[in-house]
Amino acid sequence: MKITQIFKEKKPLISFEVFPPKPDYPIETIYRTLDELRDLAPHFISVTYGAGGGNRRRTVEIASRIKNEQKIEALAHLTCIRHSREEIDEISRRLFAEGIENILALRGDPPAEGQGIFDFTYARDLILHLRRLGAFCIGAAAYPEGRPDTTDIAVEIRHMQEKVAAGADFFITQLAFINDHVYDFLDQLVKKGISCPVFIGVMPVYNTRQIRRITELSGAKIPRELNSLLEKYVDSPADAEKVGIDFAVKQIADLLAHGVDGIHLYTMNRARQTREILRRLGKPVS
Ligand code: FAD
């Protein structure tokens, strides 16, 4: 089923993101995680796409497992980087053959050594191409706090308008920890006439190393109290994990109370912690 259709019937949606294991790890490791998440019955599960890596083929395989064996709707990420038009068409055909109806169309990050851009320069070019193929419900990325290289939200919203004009049906946001930033962003989208569903990305954090890396990669602003609690428990992983789970539960409860369209939980392939968060929120969700 297309995510826009699920949204019409079941708003707010709760969804998960998982990533394929590295090529030298057996694919069964993610299948075990998915089995442990299955009875939580999220409305869909998305599978990331390694923009340069050797685990790219695994995205289709894992998305197919989610859709056809777990009977949960799948969203396959797909990036422009290092792909020709023909390759994108081939991947789209494989997704279609597996019954996968939803694609998150992204630009991806160009490799440091350059030569990343082939036929599609921006996500909106990939969206336009996929829209012409006709078969898919298409999602795109949004950045409530801007990106590491730019914090100009007006520019970001202009790019979102281009994505909608190209055929995007919904957005998933980059992770953010400060809900007020998300609410300001959503208000601005309404003012600029962007009315498609926006699912809010939430990433639970479990230690200071993880939070530093996230800040670097995403540019997300970290609330001071979360940072200092994680610092306090730097030598006590169990306490730090509890801090992260408590924060995520409170953050999600506040987002849901605010009436957001959905929560997209970046699970980091951690089933136990994801189960605990959903239990504390009083889910399963379907
Ligand atoms: P775009 O919106 O195309 O933006 C790329 C750059 O071009 C930005 O700097 C933007 O400001 C600029 N830009 C956009 N349009 C124009 C224009 N018309 N003119 C000039 N400049 C323009 N990466 C992966 O590799 N695999 C994944 O699975 C993955 N999943 C993600 C999921 C989510 C929810 C999010 C938020 C990000 C994900 N990413 C993933 C990261 C993403 O690929 C990077 O953030 C990437 O740098 C930008 O992708 P985009 O789709 O936002 O690109």
Side-chain angles (χ1 to χ4, degrees):
M1 195 190 260
K2 291 188 161 64
I3 286 170
T4 41
Q5 187 59 36
I6 306 176
F7 178 72
K8 276 191 199 137
E9 295 170 15
K10 300 194 167 168
K11 176 192 171 175
L13 302 192
I14 305 284
S15 54
F16 298 161
E17 178 184 289
V18 298
F19 56 83
K22 294 203 176 104
D24 42 340
Y25 283 83
I27 196 147
E28 283 70 27
T29 53
I30 184 64
Y31 292 166
R32 274 198 294 279
T33 305
L34 288 168
D35 285 345
E36 288 171 47
L37 294 174
R38 183 181 191 164
D39 67 316
L40 297 174
H43 294 111
F44 65 90
I45 299 181
S46 83
V47 188
T48 65
Y49 193 77
N55 57 355
R56 287 176 139 191
R57 288 191 77 82
R58 288 184 158 183
T59 298
V60 179
E61 199 176 334
I62 297 165
S64 171
R65 168 93 173 200
I66 292 166
K67 166 86 184 180
N68 297 309
E69 293 194 26
Q70 295 209 311
K71 309 292 182 202
I72 292 173
E73 218 37 70
L75 168 65
H77 297 208
L78 184 58
T79 62
C80 308
I81 293 297
R82 281 187 170 149
H83 273 316
S84 65
R85 189 176 303 265
E86 291 70 31
E87 285 168 341
I88 292 289
D89 288 350
E90 206 260 319
I91 298 164
S92 305
R93 272 195 293 276
R94 280 172 47 219
L95 288 169
F96 186 71
E98 297 294 337
I100 292 153
E101 296 176 73
N102 304 289
I103 295 181
L104 190 69
L106 303 144
R107 202 277 307 265
D109 289 313
E113 65 273 21
Q115 294 297 314
I117 306 292
F118 288 4
D119 282 345
F120 303 101
T121 307
Y122 299 117
R124 62 127 202 248
D125 307 325
L126 178 60
I127 293 166
L128 192 61
H129 184 70
L130 293 171
R131 175 56 65 216
R132 289 191 183 128
L133 296 180
F136 299 104
C137 175
I138 304 166
Y143 301 81
E145 297 179 329
R147 305 174 190 243
D149 53 348
T150 164
T151 49
D152 189 340
I153 301 293
V155 172
E156 182 50 39
I157 293 178
R158 249 196 339 271
H159 294 156
M160 288 177 73
Q161 288 171 319
E162 290 176 0
K163 291 178 183 183
V164 173
D169 296 300
F170 65 91
F171 288 96
I172 298 181
T173 73
Q174 180 62 285
L175 60 100
F177 296 100
I178 301 176
N179 285 352
D180 281 345
H181 293 181
V182 174
Y183 303 146
D184 287 347
F185 181 67
L186 294 176
D187 286 347
Q188 290 187 59
L189 296 188
V190 172
K191 283 187 196 135
K192 295 290 179 186
I194 295 178
S195 58
C196 60
V198 180
F199 306 126
I200 311 302
V202 173
M203 182 182 280
V205 284
Y206 304 117
N207 56 59
T208 42
R209 196 167 38 85
Q210 185 194 2
I211 211 164
R212 272 191 217 113
R213 195 171 141 71
I214 291 167
T215 324
E216 247 171 60
L217 290 177
S218 69
K221 311 284 179 297
I222 311 293
R224 193 173 307 196
E225 76 274 12
L226 175 61
N227 202 30
S228 43
L229 274 173
L230 288 172
E231 290 283 357
K232 178 173 165 193
Y233 294 121
V234 72
D235 294 320
S236 173
D239 287 317
E241 180 179 302
K242 189 172 173 312
V243 166
I245 289 176
D246 285 348
F247 188 90
V249 169
K250 274 195 213 127
Q251 184 185 7
I252 294 170
D254 185 74
L255 287 163
L256 291 173
H258 194 87
V260 298
D261 293 333
I263 304 292
H264 190 64
L265 199 59
Y266 294 106
T267 70
M268 306 299 289
N269 294 1
R270 293 183 192 227
R272 180 176 55 77
Q273 294 89 339
T274 305
R275 294 190 67 80
E276 174 64 7
I277 290 167
L278 275 268
R279 186 190 68 73
R280 296 259 307 270
L281 286 163
K283 308 290 174 186
V285 291
S286 59

